[in-house]
Amino acid sequence: MIGAGIVGCALAAFLAEAGASVLLVERDDVGAAASGRNSGIIQHPMDAALVPLFEASLEHYRELGQHGFELAAEPAGVLVLAEHEHALAAQLEALRAFPELRAQALAPGEPAALEPAVAPRLAGVRLQTGYPVGPAAATRAFADRARAAGAQLVTGADAALAPDGLTVGGVRRPAGAVALAAGPWAPELLDPSGRWRPIAPLWGVVADVRLEAPPRHALEEGGIEELVARRGEPPPLFSLVTAGGASALGSTFLHERPGPEVVAPLLRERGARFVPALAGTPTGAVRACARPLSVDGLPLLGRAPGRENVFVAAGHGPWGISLGPASARIVADLMLGRATAPPPAFDPARL
Ligand SMILES: Cc1cc2nc3c(=O)[nH]c(=O)nc-3n(C[C@H](O)[C@H](O)[C@H](O)COP(=O)(O)OP(=O)(O)OC[C@H]3O[C@@H](n4cnc5c(N)ncnc54)[C@H](O)[C@@H]3O)c2cc1C
């Protein structure tokens, strides 16, 4: 397996538990990319094709207790915020498809009554989803589970595909099968020529902040579609997720890797429109990481096109922590011969 993000670590755990001999190679460290540097919320993806992955992932997360990971019994809730109610109308309409989210429209002022950190006159929608977990917690727990099941994790070593397996730091390691769980870098491992590029990085910056009275709900800016549809790069879009007293303030959606220190003041400025206390709160550590975004927004889970024993497990965009474990289960079952084909919507051959 190449890549120790959430997908690679969960896959390593499932395969090792099934008795396979597993080597997971990571060029940096466990969770060094998006899987350890994200906003830290396990959340309903609001896309019908992805909901089964979310629901199955919640079940996997509930089984991680002995690896230092506890999922709360109930979600904390997500508050989608906007300066004007009309900015939320389209989103509310789209949310009708997901009654399980119990979308509740909140008139101007109601979000602040529910969550005192929120600016007084904002409108909102409350959603019954969202488990704040801390950015690296899920990935580390699956890495621990993989090791406990006998998987070998090698970090600090570059891996590449070879005709009979892979190379690790230039040394050949034959393997019966190889899984590419390398996030946005998975396509270049399969096709160094650059022709097959169904996944590209979409860069986000997240800053840590410690608010005196942080919100319990996860907060995010509504009307995102409108902002993203504008010409040029979208401005930072506000989100705030608090786990264990620390809040992750996000984020950007950029095609080029941004300078985190340049972006941090912009995040604070935009965030202060929604949570005024952010204006007077210094940011702590700032991190940039890449969402592995596929061209149709769905992950690639299954046999790599044109390669018999090579599998792809990547392309979760903004949802990898929320969907990664169930995606890994699909690929593990294929690699173990327990399933013959992935759900067609996720088959890498479609791209
Ligand atoms: C700002 C931001 C906030 C986010 N917030 C959330 C959130 O709150 N909830 C949520 O569900 N999702 C969130 N996401 C999305 C989520 O983080 C990603 O979808 C997920 O982490 C991707 O996991 P992965 O395992 O596929 O890839 P990655 O985490 O990218 O892991 C791939 C690994 O492969 C390694 N690698 C690559 N090439 C090689 C090589 N040649 N040899 C060895 N190793 C290699 C990399 O070093 C990396 O560690 C967020 C993303 C961003 C950017």
Side-chain angles (χ1 to χ4, degrees), residues 3 6-7 26-27 35 38-41 158-159 289 317-318 320-322:
I6 182 68
V7 180
E26 164 59 49
R27 66 180 168 200
S35 296
N38 54 78
S39 298
I41 188 159
D158 233 311
C289 59
I321 306 302
S322 306

Side-chain angles (χ1 to χ4, degrees), residues 147-173:
R147 285 194 191 97
Q152 188 192 348
L153 270 65
V154 173
T155 55
D158 233 311
L161 259 185
D164 61 347
L166 37 74
T167 61
V168 180
V171 177
R172 269 189 53 228
R173 292 292 299 256

Side-chain angles (χ1 to χ4, degrees), residues 2-342:
I2 304 181
I6 182 68
V7 180
C9 290
L11 188 49
F14 296 148
L15 290 173
E17 284 168 0
S21 161
V22 173
L23 171 68
L24 171 56
V25 188
E26 164 59 49
R27 66 180 168 200
D28 195 326
D29 208 346
V30 169
S35 296
R37 303 163 76 88
N38 54 78
S39 298
I41 188 159
I42 296 170
Q43 189 177 330
H44 188 292
M46 293 173 254
D47 177 331
L50 298 175
V51 172
L53 292 180
F54 168 65
E55 286 172 350
S57 291
L58 284 185
E59 295 308 312
H60 289 301
Y61 280 128
R62 293 197 194 289
E63 290 167 1
L64 275 184
Q66 46 177 302
H67 303 286
F69 185 93
E70 294 293 342
L71 194 74
E74 289 297 321
V78 173
L79 277 184
V80 184
L81 301 170
E83 279 162 6
H84 306 287
E85 275 173 301
H86 65 76
L88 298 169
Q91 200 158 351
L92 259 176
E93 184 57 33
L95 285 166
R96 282 167 181 264
F98 307 106
E100 66 273 26
L101 286 171
R102 290 188 250 157
Q104 182 190 355
L106 301 172
E110 286 183 343
L114 202 61
E115 200 61 89
V118 167
R121 275 183 291 278
L122 298 180
V125 176
R126 185 185 185 279
L127 303 175
Q128 181 68 1
T129 186
Y131 300 81
V133 292
T139 304
R140 288 194 185 137
F142 269 111
D144 185 70
R145 181 166 157 182
R147 285 194 191 97
Q152 188 192 348
L153 270 65
V154 173
T155 55
D158 233 311
L161 259 185
D164 61 347
L166 37 74
T167 61
V168 180
V171 177
R172 269 189 53 228
R173 292 292 299 256
V178 179
L180 308 176
W185 304 281
E188 68 198 43
L189 284 166
L190 187 70
D191 178 14
S193 80
R195 279 193 297 275
W196 192 65
R197 285 292 176 273
I199 305 171
L202 190 63
W203 289 90
V205 176
V206 175
D208 285 333
V209 286
R210 282 206 174 254
L211 292 163
E212 255 175 46
R216 280 176 308 110
H217 287 81
L219 308 181
E220 63 183 50
E221 179 169 356
I224 283 180
E225 295 77 8
E226 229 171 83
L227 283 170
V228 173
R230 280 193 205 162
R231 286 165 85 77
E233 297 281 14
L237 301 172
F238 165 70
S239 62
L240 192 74
V241 179
T242 305
S247 305
L249 170 65
S251 183
T252 55
F253 297 78
L254 302 169
H255 297 290
E256 299 297 328
R257 188 188 185 123
E261 305 302 335
V262 179
V263 174
L266 305 177
L267 296 182
R268 213 151 62 106
E269 192 185 314
R270 188 152 194 108
R273 294 188 194 184
F274 297 89
V275 173
L278 284 169
T281 310
T283 48
V286 188
R287 50 189 189 268
C289 59
R291 300 171 187 84
L293 193 66
S294 72
V295 293
D296 63 2
L298 301 177
L300 283 76
L301 308 173
R303 283 198 169 71
R307 292 290 297 265
E308 191 53 32
N309 292 322
V310 178
F311 295 80
V312 185
H316 292 81
W319 301 114
I321 306 302
S322 306
L323 315 177
S327 300
R329 183 74 259 175
I330 288 174
V331 178
D333 287 346
L334 289 166
M335 294 177 79
L336 293 164
R338 293 177 180 172
T340 50

